[in-house]
Amino acid sequence: MLIATLMMAGTTLLAQPPGYTAPDYDAADSWLCRPGREDACAIDLDTTIIEADGRMSVEAFQAAADPGVDCFYVYPTVSNDLTPNSDMVANDEENRVIAAQFARFGEVCQTYAPMYRQVTLTALRSMMAGEPVAADGVTAYLDVQTAFAHYMEHDNDGRPYVLIGHSQGARMLEQLVARVVDGQAIQTNMLSAMLIGYNIAVPPGEPVGGAFQAVPSCRSSDETGCFISYVSFRSDVPPPEASRFGKLPDPSVEVACTNPADLAGNADTPLQAYLATGGAFTSSVEAGPWVEGGAEVTTDFVRVPGLITGQCLNDEHGSYFAISVHGDPADPRTDDIVGDVVADGAILADWGLHLLDIGIAQRDLIDLVMSQAAAYDQ
């Protein structure tokens, strides 16, 4: 029944190869987040707002009691398991990325986040070092496909939904959208697919084509059935020549970039970021003091109004979300943010601000879900 739910005209589900056994998504432990229980999404997300003059206040977080929207999230490469593919046991790293990237969407939607046997950080580091490793991306995708089918059969009931993925998670969802959603009946109640921190191909200057044939890039906050995607780089450190993000080898397509804070106009727009107080959740240096001589920040997250802006650029460096940090040495607030990927003490320029892709505009993404939900209900 799970796969049969998604078997509709034109759907091209990836077949299960011999030896593949799907996880049991009836089991509670196969999900990091599900509605109505105490889990990785039921956490304290109160946030300290730090103004430029150093004044601080606390923004209380309140999950929605009965939201009319579902959010289905696939997390990025975070597993520290020593095997090429992870197991189905949630460790600290899976819970931390939920806190950084997804739990806050509980303000506007019911939260669903399956475990899946992802390609691990262990495998990624081996591959980056040029060492062959038997990581299995097919198993990772099939797990996500099975979890989504389970959600559709047991939970969705025709409700509007949002797909959210980052990095490896966005790659999994790109395949899912192309195989299961693109041009199909269930695209009708998809508010958007937020495929962030991964190169999604689009034809130059066109909203649709490339990765998808019927799902366009979002061009306004009240458009639904569309996708959001970008890869983040500091505006003064754009993608290098051999960058892994922001460039594609096929000259007929480019990397999609949709500015979630200004979908229609794409000005250099203030971004409403939620940043982890101690720094990005993995592979980053620690954050310094947020306010010089100020009181200690006691929440796990901060907001820094006016400090960060973003704009989609398409230039000789690639197609990317250019992030500018407007620090002022004359005020007591920090003048910079952390989130660059660091390995052996060196910043990896080809990764950009990958660790902050979602956090850098998280409030804008949440507000977008609100606007899309309102448009859907009209």
Side-chain angles (χ1 to χ4, degrees), residues 69-70 159-163 173 177-178 180-195 200 207-209 211-229 258 263 368-369 371-377:
V69 176
D70 296 343
R159 291 160 55 87
Y161 66 93
V162 180
L163 300 176
L173 289 178
V177 171
V180 174
V181 179
D182 195 29
Q184 305 305 314
I186 59 172
Q187 183 178 339
T188 304
N189 62 321
M190 184 183 78
L191 299 184
S192 58
M194 297 183 173
L195 311 176
I200 304 296
V208 70
F212 313 122
Q213 299 308 304
V215 176
S217 57
C218 296
R219 292 156 292 177
S220 69
S221 60
D222 59 0
E223 182 179 8
T224 61
C226 55
F227 76 90
I228 299 289
S229 187
T258 48
L263 289 170
L368 177 59
V369 175
S371 297
Q372 290 177 322
Y376 180 88
D377 287 338

Side-chain angles (χ1 to χ4, degrees), residues 17 19 50 155 225:
I50 306 174
D155 301 296

Side-chain angles (χ1 to χ4, degrees), residues 86-227:
S86 67
D87 57 26
M88 291 287 290
V89 178
N91 298 316
D92 178 64
E93 56 265 28
E94 284 91 358
N95 287 295
R96 288 180 65 199
V97 77
I98 288 286
Q101 293 190 343
F102 183 58
R104 197 173 299 276
F105 282 86
E107 180 183 332
V108 292
C109 58
Q110 295 194 134
T111 52
Y112 295 86
M115 294 287 297
Y116 71 108
R117 289 169 291 186
Q118 70 166 209
V119 176
T120 61
L121 280 173
T122 304
L124 176 61
R125 289 169 182 141
S126 294
M127 289 185 281
M128 290 175 63
E131 301 169 0
V133 62
D136 184 359
V138 172
T139 288
Y141 171 72
L142 285 171
D143 286 358
V144 171
Q145 179 179 274
T146 303
F148 184 70
H150 186 282
Y151 156 74
M152 275 290 169
E153 181 175 348
H154 295 280
D155 301 296
N156 177 261
D157 197 26
R159 291 160 55 87
Y161 66 93
V162 180
L163 300 176
I164 304 171
H166 179 241
S167 194
Q168 183 175 174
R171 180 163 64 91
M172 299 295 102
L173 289 178
E174 179 200 34
Q175 296 180 63
L176 185 77
V177 171
R179 294 177 181 277
V180 174
V181 179
D182 195 29
Q184 305 305 314
I186 59 172
Q187 183 178 339
T188 304
N189 62 321
M190 184 183 78
L191 299 184
S192 58
M194 297 183 173
L195 311 176
I196 297 171
Y198 185 67
N199 294 332
I200 304 296
V202 292
E206 298 294 331
V208 70
F212 313 122
Q213 299 308 304
V215 176
S217 57
C218 296
R219 292 156 292 177
S220 69
S221 60
D222 59 0
E223 182 179 8
T224 61
C226 55
F227 76 90

